Amino acid sequence: MQRTFSILKPDTVRKGQTGAVLAMMEAAGFRIAAIKKLSISKQQAAGFYAVHAQRSFFDSLTTFMSSGPIFVMVLEKENAIADLRKLMGATNPANAEEGTIRKKFAGSIEENAVHGSDAEETAAFEIGYFFAGYELA
Ligand code: ATP
Ligand code: MG
């Protein structure tokens, strides 16, 4: 079993697509180990996406991620990290394959519905950023 971290971004929650995206995750074999709804500040979004601090889209991205409620979650499955990335589809929905979450629900390269960790180390950092140990016991 492997754990990964995911966010339903503000566009998904705003459009009422939370349940539909969670259903796709469960249908693909992911178990929701922990989930919570919250709103984050621009500063908290900047801490989460710190690896992108030098990118041109960083200011816009952190404004977007702090623009409304999100769901943060820990998902469990064999090969969860790679399998979630596959289920999400390409960052830009224009390049996302049929059957992926972003193909179905993302509106743009920025408002792209969902986040998923891209490696074991980032999954560990991201889970720890939003969840305390007792929430995953
Ligand atoms: P995420 O990290 O959210 O799972 P990703 O790994 O597919 O997405 P990254 O390159 O890590 O893509 O970019 C992080 C997020 O920044 C993207 O999901 C998207 O919301 C935003 N983003 C990426 N590239 C651009 C861009 N060129 N213009 C605007 N926003 C962008
Ligand atoms: Mg990424």
mmCIF file with all atom_site columns, all heavy atoms in Angstrom, residues 9 49 52 55 57 61 64 85 88 91 102 109-112 114-116, ligand 1:
data_model
loop_
_atom_site.group_PDB
_atom_site.id
_atom_site.type_symbol
_atom_site.label_atom_id
_atom_site.label_alt_id
_atom_site.label_comp_id
_atom_site.label_asym_id
_atom_site.label_entity_id
_atom_site.label_seq_id
_atom_site.pdbx_PDB_ins_code
_atom_site.Cartn_x
_atom_site.Cartn_y
_atom_site.Cartn_z
_atom_site.occupancy
_atom_site.B_iso_or_equiv
_atom_site.pdbx_formal_charge
_atom_site.auth_seq_id
_atom_site.auth_comp_id
_atom_site.auth_asym_id
_atom_site.auth_atom_id
_atom_site.pdbx_PDB_model_num
ATOM   1   N N   . LYS A 1 9   ? -9.273  21.279 -5.981  1.00 0.00 ? 9   LYS A N   1
ATOM   2   C CA  . LYS A 1 9   ? -8.973  22.712 -6.018  1.00 0.00 ? 9   LYS A CA  1
ATOM   3   C C   . LYS A 1 9   ? -10.265 23.544 -5.978  1.00 0.00 ? 9   LYS A C   1
ATOM   4   O O   . LYS A 1 9   ? -11.365 23.013 -6.184  1.00 0.00 ? 9   LYS A O   1
ATOM   5   C CB  . LYS A 1 9   ? -8.138  23.005 -7.267  1.00 0.00 ? 9   LYS A CB  1
ATOM   6   C CG  . LYS A 1 9   ? -6.766  22.304 -7.246  1.00 0.00 ? 9   LYS A CG  1
ATOM   7   C CD  . LYS A 1 9   ? -5.888  22.696 -8.434  1.00 0.00 ? 9   LYS A CD  1
ATOM   8   C CE  . LYS A 1 9   ? -4.537  21.991 -8.350  1.00 0.00 ? 9   LYS A CE  1
ATOM   9   N NZ  . LYS A 1 9   ? -3.621  22.402 -9.463  1.00 0.00 ? 9   LYS A NZ  1
ATOM   10  N N   . TYR A 1 49  ? 3.115   25.352 -2.429  1.00 0.00 ? 49  TYR A N   1
ATOM   11  C CA  . TYR A 1 49  ? 3.674   25.332 -3.791  1.00 0.00 ? 49  TYR A CA  1
ATOM   12  C C   . TYR A 1 49  ? 5.043   26.023 -3.843  1.00 0.00 ? 49  TYR A C   1
ATOM   13  O O   . TYR A 1 49  ? 5.416   26.566 -4.894  1.00 0.00 ? 49  TYR A O   1
ATOM   14  C CB  . TYR A 1 49  ? 2.709   26.006 -4.762  1.00 0.00 ? 49  TYR A CB  1
ATOM   15  C CG  . TYR A 1 49  ? 1.603   25.107 -5.303  1.00 0.00 ? 49  TYR A CG  1
ATOM   16  C CD1 . TYR A 1 49  ? 0.257   25.441 -5.149  1.00 0.00 ? 49  TYR A CD1 1
ATOM   17  C CD2 . TYR A 1 49  ? 1.908   23.938 -6.010  1.00 0.00 ? 49  TYR A CD2 1
ATOM   18  C CE1 . TYR A 1 49  ? -0.760  24.630 -5.676  1.00 0.00 ? 49  TYR A CE1 1
ATOM   19  C CE2 . TYR A 1 49  ? 0.903   23.126 -6.529  1.00 0.00 ? 49  TYR A CE2 1
ATOM   20  C CZ  . TYR A 1 49  ? -0.420  23.476 -6.364  1.00 0.00 ? 49  TYR A CZ  1
ATOM   21  O OH  . TYR A 1 49  ? -1.408  22.675 -6.886  1.00 0.00 ? 49  TYR A OH  1
ATOM   22  N N   . HIS A 1 52  ? 7.471   26.114 -6.745  1.00 0.00 ? 52  HIS A N   1
ATOM   23  C CA  . HIS A 1 52  ? 7.158   26.910 -7.942  1.00 0.00 ? 52  HIS A CA  1
ATOM   24  C C   . HIS A 1 52  ? 7.346   28.414 -7.721  1.00 0.00 ? 52  HIS A C   1
ATOM   25  O O   . HIS A 1 52  ? 6.932   29.215 -8.562  1.00 0.00 ? 52  HIS A O   1
ATOM   26  C CB  . HIS A 1 52  ? 5.714   26.658 -8.387  1.00 0.00 ? 52  HIS A CB  1
ATOM   27  C CG  . HIS A 1 52  ? 5.450   25.252 -8.851  1.00 0.00 ? 52  HIS A CG  1
ATOM   28  N ND1 . HIS A 1 52  ? 6.248   24.607 -9.760  1.00 0.00 ? 52  HIS A ND1 1
ATOM   29  C CD2 . HIS A 1 52  ? 4.469   24.366 -8.526  1.00 0.00 ? 52  HIS A CD2 1
ATOM   30  C CE1 . HIS A 1 52  ? 5.769   23.383 -9.974  1.00 0.00 ? 52  HIS A CE1 1
ATOM   31  N NE2 . HIS A 1 52  ? 4.700   23.214 -9.228  1.00 0.00 ? 52  HIS A NE2 1
ATOM   32  N N   . ARG A 1 55  ? 8.385   30.614 -10.589 1.00 0.00 ? 55  ARG A N   1
ATOM   33  C CA  . ARG A 1 55  ? 7.657   30.503 -11.866 1.00 0.00 ? 55  ARG A CA  1
ATOM   34  C C   . ARG A 1 55  ? 6.780   31.727 -12.085 1.00 0.00 ? 55  ARG A C   1
ATOM   35  O O   . ARG A 1 55  ? 6.300   32.353 -11.140 1.00 0.00 ? 55  ARG A O   1
ATOM   36  C CB  . ARG A 1 55  ? 6.778   29.227 -11.881 1.00 0.00 ? 55  ARG A CB  1
ATOM   37  C CG  . ARG A 1 55  ? 7.531   27.959 -11.528 1.00 0.00 ? 55  ARG A CG  1
ATOM   38  C CD  . ARG A 1 55  ? 8.519   27.529 -12.595 1.00 0.00 ? 55  ARG A CD  1
ATOM   39  N NE  . ARG A 1 55  ? 7.829   27.009 -13.763 1.00 0.00 ? 55  ARG A NE  1
ATOM   40  C CZ  . ARG A 1 55  ? 7.381   25.760 -13.883 1.00 0.00 ? 55  ARG A CZ  1
ATOM   41  N NH1 . ARG A 1 55  ? 7.557   24.901 -12.890 1.00 0.00 ? 55  ARG A NH1 1
ATOM   42  N NH2 . ARG A 1 55  ? 6.779   25.359 -14.975 1.00 0.00 ? 55  ARG A NH2 1
ATOM   43  N N   . PHE A 1 57  ? 3.806   31.948 -13.100 1.00 0.00 ? 57  PHE A N   1
ATOM   44  C CA  . PHE A 1 57  ? 2.403   31.793 -12.715 1.00 0.00 ? 57  PHE A CA  1
ATOM   45  C C   . PHE A 1 57  ? 2.194   31.693 -11.203 1.00 0.00 ? 57  PHE A C   1
ATOM   46  O O   . PHE A 1 57  ? 1.074   31.500 -10.741 1.00 0.00 ? 57  PHE A O   1
ATOM   47  C CB  . PHE A 1 57  ? 1.786   30.566 -13.409 1.00 0.00 ? 57  PHE A CB  1
ATOM   48  C CG  . PHE A 1 57  ? 2.515   29.262 -13.143 1.00 0.00 ? 57  PHE A CG  1
ATOM   49  C CD1 . PHE A 1 57  ? 2.311   28.546 -11.972 1.00 0.00 ? 57  PHE A CD1 1
ATOM   50  C CD2 . PHE A 1 57  ? 3.397   28.743 -14.085 1.00 0.00 ? 57  PHE A CD2 1
ATOM   51  C CE1 . PHE A 1 57  ? 2.970   27.347 -11.727 1.00 0.00 ? 57  PHE A CE1 1
ATOM   52  C CE2 . PHE A 1 57  ? 4.068   27.528 -13.850 1.00 0.00 ? 57  PHE A CE2 1
ATOM   53  C CZ  . PHE A 1 57  ? 3.840   26.843 -12.667 1.00 0.00 ? 57  PHE A CZ  1
ATOM   54  N N   . LEU A 1 61  ? -1.308  31.493 -9.305  1.00 0.00 ? 61  LEU A N   1
ATOM   55  C CA  . LEU A 1 61  ? -1.630  30.170 -8.742  1.00 0.00 ? 61  LEU A CA  1
ATOM   56  C C   . LEU A 1 61  ? -2.007  30.268 -7.264  1.00 0.00 ? 61  LEU A C   1
ATOM   57  O O   . LEU A 1 61  ? -2.991  29.668 -6.823  1.00 0.00 ? 61  LEU A O   1
ATOM   58  C CB  . LEU A 1 61  ? -0.428  29.224 -8.927  1.00 0.00 ? 61  LEU A CB  1
ATOM   59  C CG  . LEU A 1 61  ? -0.514  27.856 -8.245  1.00 0.00 ? 61  LEU A CG  1
ATOM   60  C CD1 . LEU A 1 61  ? -1.676  27.030 -8.782  1.00 0.00 ? 61  LEU A CD1 1
ATOM   61  C CD2 . LEU A 1 61  ? 0.805   27.088 -8.416  1.00 0.00 ? 61  LEU A CD2 1
ATOM   62  N N   . PHE A 1 64  ? -5.388  31.883 -6.871  1.00 0.00 ? 64  PHE A N   1
ATOM   63  C CA  . PHE A 1 64  ? -6.424  30.890 -7.204  1.00 0.00 ? 64  PHE A CA  1
ATOM   64  C C   . PHE A 1 64  ? -6.617  29.884 -6.078  1.00 0.00 ? 64  PHE A C   1
ATOM   65  O O   . PHE A 1 64  ? -7.753  29.617 -5.645  1.00 0.00 ? 64  PHE A O   1
ATOM   66  C CB  . PHE A 1 64  ? -6.059  30.176 -8.517  1.00 0.00 ? 64  PHE A CB  1
ATOM   67  C CG  . PHE A 1 64  ? -6.811  28.906 -8.754  1.00 0.00 ? 64  PHE A CG  1
ATOM   68  C CD1 . PHE A 1 64  ? -8.206  28.895 -8.786  1.00 0.00 ? 64  PHE A CD1 1
ATOM   69  C CD2 . PHE A 1 64  ? -6.139  27.704 -8.952  1.00 0.00 ? 64  PHE A CD2 1
ATOM   70  C CE1 . PHE A 1 64  ? -8.912  27.706 -9.000  1.00 0.00 ? 64  PHE A CE1 1
ATOM   71  C CE2 . PHE A 1 64  ? -6.832  26.519 -9.159  1.00 0.00 ? 64  PHE A CE2 1
ATOM   72  C CZ  . PHE A 1 64  ? -8.221  26.519 -9.181  1.00 0.00 ? 64  PHE A CZ  1
ATOM   73  N N   . ARG A 1 85  ? -1.592  10.292 -10.578 1.00 0.00 ? 85  ARG A N   1
ATOM   74  C CA  . ARG A 1 85  ? -1.130  11.195 -11.647 1.00 0.00 ? 85  ARG A CA  1
ATOM   75  C C   . ARG A 1 85  ? -1.755  10.793 -12.980 1.00 0.00 ? 85  ARG A C   1
ATOM   76  O O   . ARG A 1 85  ? -2.141  11.639 -13.781 1.00 0.00 ? 85  ARG A O   1
ATOM   77  C CB  . ARG A 1 85  ? 0.400   11.160 -11.754 1.00 0.00 ? 85  ARG A CB  1
ATOM   78  C CG  . ARG A 1 85  ? 1.125   11.632 -10.508 1.00 0.00 ? 85  ARG A CG  1
ATOM   79  C CD  . ARG A 1 85  ? 1.075   13.116 -10.295 1.00 0.00 ? 85  ARG A CD  1
ATOM   80  N NE  . ARG A 1 85  ? 1.712   13.857 -11.364 1.00 0.00 ? 85  ARG A NE  1
ATOM   81  C CZ  . ARG A 1 85  ? 1.851   15.185 -11.367 1.00 0.00 ? 85  ARG A CZ  1
ATOM   82  N NH1 . ARG A 1 85  ? 1.387   15.905 -10.336 1.00 0.00 ? 85  ARG A NH1 1
ATOM   83  N NH2 . ARG A 1 85  ? 2.421   15.799 -12.353 1.00 0.00 ? 85  ARG A NH2 1
ATOM   84  N N   . MET A 1 88  ? -5.431  11.727 -12.978 1.00 0.00 ? 88  MET A N   1
ATOM   85  C CA  . MET A 1 88  ? -5.612  13.177 -13.091 1.00 0.00 ? 88  MET A CA  1
ATOM   86  C C   . MET A 1 88  ? -5.516  13.656 -14.530 1.00 0.00 ? 88  MET A C   1
ATOM   87  O O   . MET A 1 88  ? -6.242  14.539 -14.952 1.00 0.00 ? 88  MET A O   1
ATOM   88  C CB  . MET A 1 88  ? -4.521  13.904 -12.274 1.00 0.00 ? 88  MET A CB  1
ATOM   89  C CG  . MET A 1 88  ? -4.741  13.858 -10.774 1.00 0.00 ? 88  MET A CG  1
ATOM   90  S SD  . MET A 1 88  ? -3.218  14.216 -9.856  1.00 0.00 ? 88  MET A SD  1
ATOM   91  C CE  . MET A 1 88  ? -2.671  15.727 -10.597 1.00 0.00 ? 88  MET A CE  1
ATOM   92  N N   . THR A 1 91  ? -1.373  18.355 -16.925 1.00 0.00 ? 91  THR A N   1
ATOM   93  C CA  . THR A 1 91  ? -1.593  19.640 -16.245 1.00 0.00 ? 91  THR A CA  1
ATOM   94  C C   . THR A 1 91  ? -2.536  20.532 -17.053 1.00 0.00 ? 91  THR A C   1
ATOM   95  O O   . THR A 1 91  ? -3.460  21.142 -16.506 1.00 0.00 ? 91  THR A O   1
ATOM   96  C CB  . THR A 1 91  ? -0.243  20.370 -16.060 1.00 0.00 ? 91  THR A CB  1
ATOM   97  O OG1 . THR A 1 91  ? 0.661   19.481 -15.412 1.00 0.00 ? 91  THR A OG1 1
ATOM   98  C CG2 . THR A 1 91  ? -0.403  21.628 -15.226 1.00 0.00 ? 91  THR A CG2 1
ATOM   99  N N   . ARG A 1 102 ? -8.921  15.626 -15.266 1.00 0.00 ? 102 ARG A N   1
ATOM   100 C CA  . ARG A 1 102 ? -8.733  16.955 -15.848 1.00 0.00 ? 102 ARG A CA  1
ATOM   101 C C   . ARG A 1 102 ? -9.404  17.090 -17.208 1.00 0.00 ? 102 ARG A C   1
ATOM   102 O O   . ARG A 1 102 ? -9.913  18.158 -17.549 1.00 0.00 ? 102 ARG A O   1
ATOM   103 C CB  . ARG A 1 102 ? -7.239  17.282 -15.902 1.00 0.00 ? 102 ARG A CB  1
ATOM   104 C CG  . ARG A 1 102 ? -6.713  17.688 -14.522 1.00 0.00 ? 102 ARG A CG  1
ATOM   105 C CD  . ARG A 1 102 ? -5.223  17.747 -14.480 1.00 0.00 ? 102 ARG A CD  1
ATOM   106 N NE  . ARG A 1 102 ? -4.715  18.400 -13.268 1.00 0.00 ? 102 ARG A NE  1
ATOM   107 C CZ  . ARG A 1 102 ? -3.449  18.352 -12.867 1.00 0.00 ? 102 ARG A CZ  1
ATOM   108 N NH1 . ARG A 1 102 ? -2.561  17.697 -13.601 1.00 0.00 ? 102 ARG A NH1 1
ATOM   109 N NH2 . ARG A 1 102 ? -3.071  18.969 -11.763 1.00 0.00 ? 102 ARG A NH2 1
ATOM   110 N N   . ILE A 1 109 ? -5.336  25.498 -17.764 1.00 0.00 ? 109 ILE A N   1
ATOM   111 C CA  . ILE A 1 109 ? -4.074  24.965 -17.220 1.00 0.00 ? 109 ILE A CA  1
ATOM   112 C C   . ILE A 1 109 ? -3.906  25.351 -15.752 1.00 0.00 ? 109 ILE A C   1
ATOM   113 O O   . ILE A 1 109 ? -3.277  24.632 -14.991 1.00 0.00 ? 109 ILE A O   1
ATOM   114 C CB  . ILE A 1 109 ? -2.856  25.425 -18.057 1.00 0.00 ? 109 ILE A CB  1
ATOM   115 C CG1 . ILE A 1 109 ? -1.587  24.662 -17.650 1.00 0.00 ? 109 ILE A CG1 1
ATOM   116 C CG2 . ILE A 1 109 ? -2.659  26.932 -17.969 1.00 0.00 ? 109 ILE A CG2 1
ATOM   117 C CD1 . ILE A 1 109 ? -0.411  24.874 -18.580 1.00 0.00 ? 109 ILE A CD1 1
ATOM   118 N N   . GLU A 1 110 ? -4.498  26.470 -15.338 1.00 0.00 ? 110 GLU A N   1
ATOM   119 C CA  . GLU A 1 110 ? -4.401  26.869 -13.926 1.00 0.00 ? 110 GLU A CA  1
ATOM   120 C C   . GLU A 1 110 ? -5.540  26.261 -13.109 1.00 0.00 ? 110 GLU A C   1
ATOM   121 O O   . GLU A 1 110 ? -5.302  25.622 -12.073 1.00 0.00 ? 110 GLU A O   1
ATOM   122 C CB  . GLU A 1 110 ? -4.422  28.385 -13.777 1.00 0.00 ? 110 GLU A CB  1
ATOM   123 C CG  . GLU A 1 110 ? -4.332  28.807 -12.308 1.00 0.00 ? 110 GLU A CG  1
ATOM   124 C CD  . GLU A 1 110 ? -4.142  30.303 -12.153 1.00 0.00 ? 110 GLU A CD  1
ATOM   125 O OE1 . GLU A 1 110 ? -2.984  30.741 -12.175 1.00 0.00 ? 110 GLU A OE1 1
ATOM   126 O OE2 . GLU A 1 110 ? -5.161  31.019 -12.042 1.00 0.00 ? 110 GLU A OE2 1
ATOM   127 N N   . GLU A 1 111 ? -6.756  26.458 -13.562 1.00 0.00 ? 111 GLU A N   1
ATOM   128 C CA  . GLU A 1 111 ? -7.925  25.937 -12.822 1.00 0.00 ? 111 GLU A CA  1
ATOM   129 C C   . GLU A 1 111 ? -8.165  24.508 -13.292 1.00 0.00 ? 111 GLU A C   1
ATOM   130 O O   . GLU A 1 111 ? -9.122  24.219 -14.033 1.00 0.00 ? 111 GLU A O   1
ATOM   131 C CB  . GLU A 1 111 ? -9.127  26.856 -13.055 1.00 0.00 ? 111 GLU A CB  1
ATOM   132 C CG  . GLU A 1 111 ? -8.821  28.288 -12.611 1.00 0.00 ? 111 GLU A CG  1
ATOM   133 C CD  . GLU A 1 111 ? -10.034 29.089 -12.211 1.00 0.00 ? 111 GLU A CD  1
ATOM   134 O OE1 . GLU A 1 111 ? -11.168 28.564 -12.269 1.00 0.00 ? 111 GLU A OE1 1
ATOM   135 O OE2 . GLU A 1 111 ? -9.856  30.251 -11.810 1.00 0.00 ? 111 GLU A OE2 1
ATOM   136 N N   . ASN A 1 112 ? -7.275  23.623 -12.840 1.00 0.00 ? 112 ASN A N   1
ATOM   137 C CA  . ASN A 1 112 ? -7.273  22.268 -13.396 1.00 0.00 ? 112 ASN A CA  1
ATOM   138 C C   . ASN A 1 112 ? -7.740  21.194 -12.413 1.00 0.00 ? 112 ASN A C   1
ATOM   139 O O   . ASN A 1 112 ? -7.276  20.064 -12.428 1.00 0.00 ? 112 ASN A O   1
ATOM   140 C CB  . ASN A 1 112 ? -5.903  21.947 -13.991 1.00 0.00 ? 112 ASN A CB  1
ATOM   141 C CG  . ASN A 1 112 ? -4.789  22.002 -12.964 1.00 0.00 ? 112 ASN A CG  1
ATOM   142 O OD1 . ASN A 1 112 ? -5.038  22.232 -11.789 1.00 0.00 ? 112 ASN A OD1 1
ATOM   143 N ND2 . ASN A 1 112 ? -3.563  21.768 -13.407 1.00 0.00 ? 112 ASN A ND2 1
ATOM   144 N N   . VAL A 1 114 ? -7.660  19.440 -9.816  1.00 0.00 ? 114 VAL A N   1
ATOM   145 C CA  . VAL A 1 114 ? -7.130  18.518 -8.817  1.00 0.00 ? 114 VAL A CA  1
ATOM   146 C C   . VAL A 1 114 ? -5.607  18.617 -8.730  1.00 0.00 ? 114 VAL A C   1
ATOM   147 O O   . VAL A 1 114 ? -4.952  19.013 -9.701  1.00 0.00 ? 114 VAL A O   1
ATOM   148 C CB  . VAL A 1 114 ? -7.610  17.083 -9.184  1.00 0.00 ? 114 VAL A CB  1
ATOM   149 C CG1 . VAL A 1 114 ? -6.970  16.613 -10.478 1.00 0.00 ? 114 VAL A CG1 1
ATOM   150 C CG2 . VAL A 1 114 ? -7.384  16.089 -8.088  1.00 0.00 ? 114 VAL A CG2 1
ATOM   151 N N   . HIS A 1 115 ? -5.084  18.300 -7.568  1.00 0.00 ? 115 HIS A N   1
ATOM   152 C CA  . HIS A 1 115 ? -3.639  18.182 -7.367  1.00 0.00 ? 115 HIS A CA  1
ATOM   153 C C   . HIS A 1 115 ? -3.315  16.764 -6.949  1.00 0.00 ? 115 HIS A C   1
ATOM   154 O O   . HIS A 1 115 ? -4.093  16.139 -6.231  1.00 0.00 ? 115 HIS A O   1
ATOM   155 C CB  . HIS A 1 115 ? -3.150  19.135 -6.256  1.00 0.00 ? 115 HIS A CB  1
ATOM   156 C CG  . HIS A 1 115 ? -1.794  18.763 -5.722  1.00 0.00 ? 115 HIS A CG  1
ATOM   157 N ND1 . HIS A 1 115 ? -0.633  19.115 -6.351  1.00 0.00 ? 115 HIS A ND1 1
ATOM   158 C CD2 . HIS A 1 115 ? -1.425  17.998 -4.663  1.00 0.00 ? 115 HIS A CD2 1
ATOM   159 C CE1 . HIS A 1 115 ? 0.393   18.607 -5.677  1.00 0.00 ? 115 HIS A CE1 1
ATOM   160 N NE2 . HIS A 1 115 ? -0.058  17.924 -4.653  1.00 0.00 ? 115 HIS A NE2 1
ATOM   161 N N   . GLY A 1 116 ? -2.163  16.268 -7.342  1.00 0.00 ? 116 GLY A N   1
ATOM   162 C CA  . GLY A 1 116 ? -1.670  14.986 -6.850  1.00 0.00 ? 116 GLY A CA  1
ATOM   163 C C   . GLY A 1 116 ? -0.164  15.033 -6.682  1.00 0.00 ? 116 GLY A C   1
ATOM   164 O O   . GLY A 1 116 ? 0.542   15.604 -7.522  1.00 0.00 ? 116 GLY A O   1
HETATM 165 P P1  . ATP B 2 .   ? -0.234  19.844 -9.302  1.00 0.00 ? 1   ATP B P1  1
HETATM 166 O O1  . ATP B 2 .   ? 1.136   20.074 -8.706  1.00 0.00 ? 1   ATP B O1  1
HETATM 167 O O2  . ATP B 2 .   ? -1.246  20.897 -8.856  1.00 0.00 ? 1   ATP B O2  1
HETATM 168 O O3  . ATP B 2 .   ? -0.714  18.450 -9.078  1.00 0.00 ? 1   ATP B O3  1
HETATM 169 P P2  . ATP B 2 .   ? 0.960   19.438 -11.877 1.00 0.00 ? 1   ATP B P2  1
HETATM 170 O O4  . ATP B 2 .   ? 1.972   18.645 -11.107 1.00 0.00 ? 1   ATP B O4  1
HETATM 171 O O5  . ATP B 2 .   ? 0.253   18.770 -13.002 1.00 0.00 ? 1   ATP B O5  1
HETATM 172 O O6  . ATP B 2 .   ? -0.139  20.007 -10.891 1.00 0.00 ? 1   ATP B O6  1
HETATM 173 P P3  . ATP B 2 .   ? 2.798   21.660 -11.808 1.00 0.00 ? 1   ATP B P3  1
HETATM 174 O O7  . ATP B 2 .   ? 3.781   21.897 -12.884 1.00 0.00 ? 1   ATP B O7  1
HETATM 175 O O8  . ATP B 2 .   ? 3.267   21.092 -10.513 1.00 0.00 ? 1   ATP B O8  1
HETATM 176 O O9  . ATP B 2 .   ? 1.615   20.781 -12.427 1.00 0.00 ? 1   ATP B O9  1
HETATM 177 O O10 . ATP B 2 .   ? 2.062   23.037 -11.540 1.00 0.00 ? 1   ATP B O10 1
HETATM 178 C C1  . ATP B 2 .   ? 1.328   23.259 -10.351 1.00 0.00 ? 1   ATP B C1  1
HETATM 179 C C2  . ATP B 2 .   ? 0.040   23.954 -10.687 1.00 0.00 ? 1   ATP B C2  1
HETATM 180 O O11 . ATP B 2 .   ? 0.335   25.269 -11.146 1.00 0.00 ? 1   ATP B O11 1
HETATM 181 C C3  . ATP B 2 .   ? -0.764  23.347 -11.844 1.00 0.00 ? 1   ATP B C3  1
HETATM 182 O O12 . ATP B 2 .   ? -1.570  22.269 -11.465 1.00 0.00 ? 1   ATP B O12 1
HETATM 183 C C4  . ATP B 2 .   ? -1.603  24.508 -12.282 1.00 0.00 ? 1   ATP B C4  1
HETATM 184 O O13 . ATP B 2 .   ? -2.695  24.747 -11.399 1.00 0.00 ? 1   ATP B O13 1
HETATM 185 C C5  . ATP B 2 .   ? -0.599  25.656 -12.144 1.00 0.00 ? 1   ATP B C5  1
HETATM 186 N N1  . ATP B 2 .   ? 0.128   25.877 -13.397 1.00 0.00 ? 1   ATP B N1  1
HETATM 187 C C6  . ATP B 2 .   ? 1.097   25.104 -13.937 1.00 0.00 ? 1   ATP B C6  1
HETATM 188 N N2  . ATP B 2 .   ? 1.567   25.606 -15.088 1.00 0.00 ? 1   ATP B N2  1
HETATM 189 C C7  . ATP B 2 .   ? 0.869   26.764 -15.286 1.00 0.00 ? 1   ATP B C7  1
HETATM 190 C C8  . ATP B 2 .   ? 0.870   27.765 -16.289 1.00 0.00 ? 1   ATP B C8  1
HETATM 191 N N3  . ATP B 2 .   ? 1.712   27.697 -17.347 1.00 0.00 ? 1   ATP B N3  1
HETATM 192 N N4  . ATP B 2 .   ? 0.008   28.799 -16.159 1.00 0.00 ? 1   ATP B N4  1
HETATM 193 C C9  . ATP B 2 .   ? -0.820  28.894 -15.107 1.00 0.00 ? 1   ATP B C9  1
HETATM 194 N N5  . ATP B 2 .   ? -0.880  27.982 -14.119 1.00 0.00 ? 1   ATP B N5  1
HETATM 195 C C10 . ATP B 2 .   ? -0.048  26.935 -14.201 1.00 0.00 ? 1   ATP B C10 1
#
